[in-house]
Amino acid sequence: MAHRVEQQKNLPIDALLPEIRATLAAQGRAVLQAPPGAGKTTRVPPALLSAFPGKIIMLEPRRLAARGAADGIAGELGQRLGGDVGYRIRGASRAGARIEVVTEGILTRMMQSDPELTGVSCLIFDEFHERSLQADLGLALAWELRGAFRPDLAILVMSATLDAAPIAALLDDAPVLTSPGRAFPVEISYLAAPRPRSDRFEAFIARQIEALLPGLDGALLAFLPGQAEIRRVAAALKTEIERVPLYGALPPEAQQRALRPTGGPRIVLATSIAETSLTIEDVRVVVDAGLARRARFDPGSGFSRLVTDRVSRAEAEQRAGRAGRVAAGRAHRRWTKGEDGALNAHPPAEIEAADLAPLVLELAQWGSSADALAFLTKPPAPALNEARALLRSLGALDGDRLTDHGRAMAALPAHPRLAHMLLRAGKEAAPLAALMGARDPVETRQSSLALRLEALRDEARFQRQRAIPLRRGPLKDARGEANRLAARAPERAYPGDAVAACLAFPDRIAQRRKGDAPRYLMAGGKGCVLAADDPMAASPWLAVVETDGKPRDAEIRLAIPITEDEIRATFLEEIEDVKSCAWSRRDGRVIAHVRETLGALALSERPWNDAAPEAVAAAMCEGIRQFGLGLTGPAALFQARALCGGDARFSDQALLAALEDWLAPFLGGVKSRAEWRAFDPLPALRGILSWEEAKALDRACPAHYTTPLARRIAIDYTAERPAISLRLQELFGEKTHPMVGGTPLLITLLSPAGRPVQTTADLPGFWAGSYADVRKEMRARYPKHPWPEDPTKADPTLRTKNRAR
């Protein structure tokens, strides 16, 4: 079939079209760099029709861009949509015989259901520089599909600003083709000083726009981060000039109104959707607020959400380029030149900060892993592990294998948490699924999920009974999403909203902690708090749907009360009896109990009366580590003796570290600190030494010193040096100083009455020196005891004989 391309005007891409066609036909892959305004989106697909007999599928990252691109391509062919050209986006489609423009998730579904992409000859990834998670996944799956089943499948990646070299390397050194963009100059200006913090954003932007309106010929395009800002800026504008919004959720007719020139001045207030793909012909002036919405994983909601971030330099360039698509223009960046230098070069890849549970589910359905596929940016390992853990808890994965339930989850157009809930709870859970992760439709500080469901299910009744304002846009969006999900969900007996919420968030079942403040512990182990004045503050159990995401004491934003009976009935198989034997610092003893647990929550607790001795001993060891060994008496002396012998195993630090090895087998029934104080650990300490080591210790550091009278005196090793105390007369006849391990004993010499007379570490020196003075004094005080002039020649038994006389 012949196709006539009606090119009413020349575009920069036209000269490159033959080379693109020839390169793809010959090599099957290519990367096209084409700046905004080159015409790649509408001119490339029809130019490839003659080279590829099958269908050409082109991916666009946004629904509005997909519909607009399809309409533009059909116009190039002189046709209406639904002939050779069609589109498929969420919630709408027009079949096309030869070219279809789709959003990325739809391509993934196509490949999952038909891994050979039967009838498709060429895949085009447009605007790949936006680096959406689905675009990265779609390219990775398509590249593996091409290598495994379809070597004839052509792949073309098109980007306006992204560095082409890494993509080309990813695709086996694919050829890189470059097209020039529009040549119309754009004058760029910056703020002289940063916007004051006290100046409200919307009022500031409105003033900036109004200052540029005099003499405006055509359209002024203002880039704002989202719908709410568009509405507020529109309300703040005081001009009579027409203002039109442009964002993805607008009805098609409203979008076309924004794209269509009127012949006079007008103001187009748009999100970043107007950066690429869409051409607004009459734009002469661009006002860039410098902000963009990006998908980021929100730990508070459990889903990826849009957050407001600074634009990158690449995005700012694309926005400025909109002023020069058809004529010379001006771009006014509402930040300073200094701030411009701090911008990132490119926007971050979504895969780096997104919730990867949907990705892991897709990979499991594909039968591959992230490591095995060609991702331009590899998914972070921690996020992958967290996603796998979640999917296993939902029953989607058995290990890394996709279960039947997981396969059913993957078939639903919803996040895995919501898909699991819909499969288990049925159609009636669709309103709940629509509210989760969506914009709040109710203007209230209350955290009640039931309140939002009431508004969604019966708006009229809600308005009659509640004096709470509603947000019409989010309410309408949620209602449409609920209808869409209900159409795909199975029929089930509905377990109730609280149980359904727990099915989506089993890790967020929350139990109220003891105390007056409404503090809760969630099954996943994290703590959360509820406002003290919240009507649910007294609820013992909550199904928490959303928090503020803080890692500690997160504030609950959405929750619904649930009963313990509902929890037990729903999660019967997940409830476990966990035996615990642990040291209680508060009670000063080992506490053994059996808990019924659901994750980190304790549903009930009873004593564990027959706890294993090993478990009790291990818990007691932990207690001893907390309050310390505190060895006394013979045990302390033995420890000091061993340390004197150089055995490092007997330091407090080493003994505490190895309690389970040397002490636990001896503890018996010791369960408290009081019982530990009455316990004798000496046998356990002795058990550390082998027979040979004990003998060596006795030789090096004997426990006793034997006097000339053959009396054994315990050596004290707890002082700075080994020491003994004995009556002076017992050493008569001793000519050398007693030694221990090569160290002189510190001897305290006592009087006949047992009082200290002298301390010495040099007995021969004492005999030869100060003994004479001691003898003189002692003879007068103790005349019945012998005090020889030369004690080295005296017989110690004289002491006994003298007493006998």
Side-chain angles (χ1 to χ4, degrees):
M1 177 171 41
H3 296 271
R4 180 173 60 87
V5 180
E6 294 186 354
Q7 298 179 346
Q8 293 90 352
K9 57 186 177 182
N10 291 325
L11 292 175
I13 196 69
D14 293 340
L16 196 63
L17 292 177
E19 186 178 354
I20 297 171
R21 184 167 49 241
T23 300
L24 278 177
Q27 301 198 38
R29 67 200 191 283
V31 178
L32 173 60
Q33 274 186 318
K40 63 184 183 301
T41 299
T42 56
R43 293 280 168 92
V44 170
L48 299 178
L49 287 171
S50 60
F52 297 101
K55 186 173 284 190
I56 296 171
I57 303 292
M58 183 167 76
L59 285 86
E60 289 291 339
R62 305 166 189 268
R63 286 178 289 171
L64 175 57
R67 188 187 290 117
D71 195 49
I73 294 169
E76 293 284 340
L77 293 171
Q79 300 179 8
R80 291 178 178 271
L81 283 174
D84 285 339
V85 184
Y87 65 88
R88 272 193 271 177
I89 63 176
R90 192 178 75 182
S93 66
R94 293 286 295 273
R98 293 298 315 280
I99 298 173
E100 279 196 349
V101 186
V102 303
T103 47
E104 296 132 333
I106 289 176
L107 175 67
T108 305
R109 294 273 74 87
M110 292 170 64
M111 290 189 285
Q112 292 281 22
S113 59
D114 178 11
E116 295 188 20
L117 279 184
T118 306
V120 177
S121 294
C122 180
L123 292 179
I124 302 174
F125 290 82
D126 194 19
E127 311 297 357
F128 194 75
H129 56 267
E130 296 199 11
R131 297 302 312 280
S132 70
L133 176 60
Q134 280 293 329
D136 279 10
L137 174 61
L139 181 59
L141 296 184
W143 187 246
E144 182 167 88
L145 181 154
R146 183 178 187 271
F149 306 114
R150 291 286 310 280
D152 62 314
L153 179 67
I155 295 178
L156 174 63
V157 178
M158 302 198 303
S159 173
T161 58
L162 194 63
D163 182 7
I167 308 175
L170 187 75
L171 303 182
D172 247 357
D173 294 324
V176 177
L177 307 173
T178 303
S179 168
R182 280 291 190 191
F184 298 111
V186 176
E187 178 188 346
I188 297 176
S189 66
Y190 297 88
L191 290 177
R195 173 174 63 91
R197 291 181 180 271
S198 59
D199 200 348
R200 289 179 60 85
F201 171 79
E202 290 82 2
F204 172 78
I205 295 297
R207 290 199 307 274
Q208 298 292 311
I209 292 172
E210 288 168 345
L212 299 169
L213 294 179
L216 177 65
D217 178 20
L220 181 150
L221 173 61
F223 283 99
L224 299 165
Q227 297 179 37
E229 291 84 357
I230 286 175
R231 288 194 298 270
R232 288 194 287 267
V233 169
L237 287 169
K238 299 174 182 177
T239 179
E240 297 298 323
I241 292 177
E242 179 188 20
R243 67 206 76 171
V244 290
L246 180 59
Y247 51 87
L250 277 176
E253 58 275 13
Q255 294 172 356
Q256 288 303 314
R257 179 187 168 202
L259 300 177
R260 207 165 32 239
T262 61
R266 64 194 185 112
I267 302 167
V268 180
L269 304 173
T271 63
S272 55
I273 197 169
E275 285 177 13
T276 56
S277 299
L278 302 172
T279 298
I280 306 174
E281 296 288 347
D282 58 342
V283 172
R284 300 293 183 270
V285 178
V286 164
V287 174
D288 187 355
L291 300 174
R293 294 274 200 265
R294 308 195 195 285
R296 295 265 179 87
F297 177 61
D298 177 8
S301 69
F303 305 112
S304 286
R305 275 194 166 172
L306 295 177
V307 298
T308 305
D309 201 1
R310 296 296 301 271
V311 295
S312 65
R313 286 198 294 274
E315 290 168 310
E317 283 301 313
Q318 290 200 106
R319 293 180 175 189
R322 289 287 142 176
R325 293 292 288 267
V326 293
R330 293 174 291 152
H332 300 267
R333 293 175 175 170
R334 300 302 81 190
W335 59 90
T336 66
K337 186 69 175 174
E339 291 172 317
D340 191 70
L343 298 179
N344 292 325
H346 295 280
E350 185 183 348
I351 202 169
E352 296 178 287
D355 172 16
L356 297 186
L359 173 72
V360 172
L361 188 61
E362 293 281 5
L363 294 177
Q365 185 181 13
W366 187 254
S368 188
S369 66
D371 292 334
L373 294 179
F375 281 100
L376 186 59
T377 300
K378 287 292 184 183
L384 282 174
N385 293 335
E386 187 174 339
R388 291 189 193 103
L390 171 63
L391 292 174
R392 289 179 188 127
S393 72
L394 297 177
L397 294 181
D398 182 3
D400 289 326
R401 184 184 63 82
L402 190 67
T403 64
D404 290 340
H405 180 60
R407 198 165 287 106
M409 286 169 57
L412 286 175
H415 186 279
R417 285 185 183 270
L418 305 183
H420 171 73
M421 178 184 72
L422 290 167
L423 289 171
R424 291 284 189 257
K427 292 180 180 295
E428 287 190 58
L432 182 59
L435 283 174
M436 291 182 179
R439 292 178 298 153
D440 194 346
V442 179
E443 293 187 17
T444 179
R445 291 181 63 252
Q446 294 183 39
S447 302
S448 172
L449 179 61
L451 196 67
R452 275 84 176 170
L453 286 167
E454 181 184 330
L456 183 59
R457 287 174 174 149
D458 194 336
E459 180 182 349
R461 182 183 176 190
F462 182 90
Q463 288 183 306
R464 287 196 305 270
Q465 297 182 352
R466 307 277 187 185
I468 300 175
L470 293 174
R471 297 185 176 102
R472 301 293 177 188
L475 193 64
K476 180 180 177 182
D477 293 344
R479 189 174 291 116
E481 180 71 358
N483 293 335
R484 185 178 72 92
L485 293 174
R488 300 287 298 272
E491 293 285 355
R492 290 276 192 275
Y494 192 50
D497 295 328
V499 170
C502 286
L503 290 172
F505 290 98
D507 50 329
R508 296 189 184 179
I509 300 170
Q511 183 180 30
R512 201 179 195 277
R513 299 177 188 263
K514 293 179 179 178
D516 295 332
R519 304 172 69 86
Y520 289 80
L521 175 67
M522 294 189 286
K526 294 182 179 180
C528 55
V529 296
L530 195 62
D533 60 349
D534 194 285
M536 297 184 294
S539 301
W541 296 91
L542 291 176
V544 177
V545 169
E546 184 176 337
T547 71
D548 64 3
K550 292 179 182 176
R552 293 187 60 185
D553 292 334
E555 182 180 336
I556 297 172
R557 288 180 174 168
L558 275 182
I560 188 169
I562 189 170
T563 67
E564 184 177 334
D565 288 342
E566 287 176 316
I567 294 170
R568 287 181 177 277
T570 307
F571 297 96
L572 181 62
E573 294 184 2
E574 286 79 13
I575 295 173
E576 298 178 332
D577 275 356
V578 176
K579 294 179 177 179
S580 172
C581 192
W583 177 261
S584 169
R585 185 190 295 269
R586 183 185 64 184
D587 299 320
R589 63 180 299 104
V590 174
I591 303 294
H593 51 236
V594 181
R595 279 185 176 143
E596 270 189 307
T597 63
L598 178 62
L601 306 179
L603 303 182
S604 70
E605 182 176 303
R606 62 184 186 274
W608 183 16
N609 296 321
D610 56 346
E614 296 82 5
V616 174
M620 189 64 210
C621 287
E622 281 305 309
I624 293 170
R625 285 193 180 96
Q626 289 182 22
F627 59 72
L629 280 169
L631 298 178
T632 59
L637 287 173
F638 185 82
Q639 178 193 28
R641 228 180 110 210
L643 288 172
C644 183
D647 196 332
R649 292 175 295 175
F650 286 85
S651 70
D652 276 1
Q653 184 178 2
L655 288 173
L656 287 170
L659 287 174
E660 287 78 8
D661 298 328
W662 67 272
L663 180 61
F666 291 83
L667 281 174
V670 177
K671 295 181 180 178
S672 68
R673 189 168 184 175
E675 291 173 352
W676 167 252
R677 285 195 292 265
F679 175 76
D680 181 11
L682 181 59
L685 287 168
R686 290 185 182 277
I688 296 174
L689 300 177
S690 66
W691 186 86
E692 292 82 3
E693 288 171 332
K695 287 297 181 184
L697 179 62
D698 287 341
R699 289 191 297 270
C701 300
H704 299 86
Y705 165 72
T706 303
T707 71
L709 290 175
R711 192 164 73 90
R712 286 160 53 86
I713 297 175
I715 300 174
D716 181 5
Y717 287 89
T718 60
E720 291 184 6
R721 58 195 299 178
I724 57 172
S725 298
L726 75 170
R727 287 184 173 84
L728 185 150
Q729 281 85 358
E730 288 191 72
L731 289 176
F732 285 169
E734 187 71 78
K735 296 181 175 62
T736 59
H737 192 91
M739 309 286 284
V740 169
T743 302
L745 273 172
L746 186 66
I747 304 173
T748 299
L749 300 170
L750 305 177
S751 70
R755 296 186 180 91
V757 172
Q758 184 84 28
T759 299
T760 182
D762 179 11
L763 188 62
F766 169 70
W767 292 144
S770 57
Y771 170 72
D773 293 332
V774 170
R775 176 176 178 268
K776 181 178 179 182
E777 180 183 349
M778 291 295 103
R779 284 182 66 188
R781 188 174 298 177
Y782 303 102
K784 295 184 178 180
H785 291 265
W787 301 100
E789 290 186 15
D790 186 357
T792 61
K793 296 179 180 179
D795 184 354
T797 59
L798 286 175
R799 168 175 164 270
T800 306
K801 291 176 182 178
N802 191 47
R803 278 188 174 176
R805 288 198 300 269

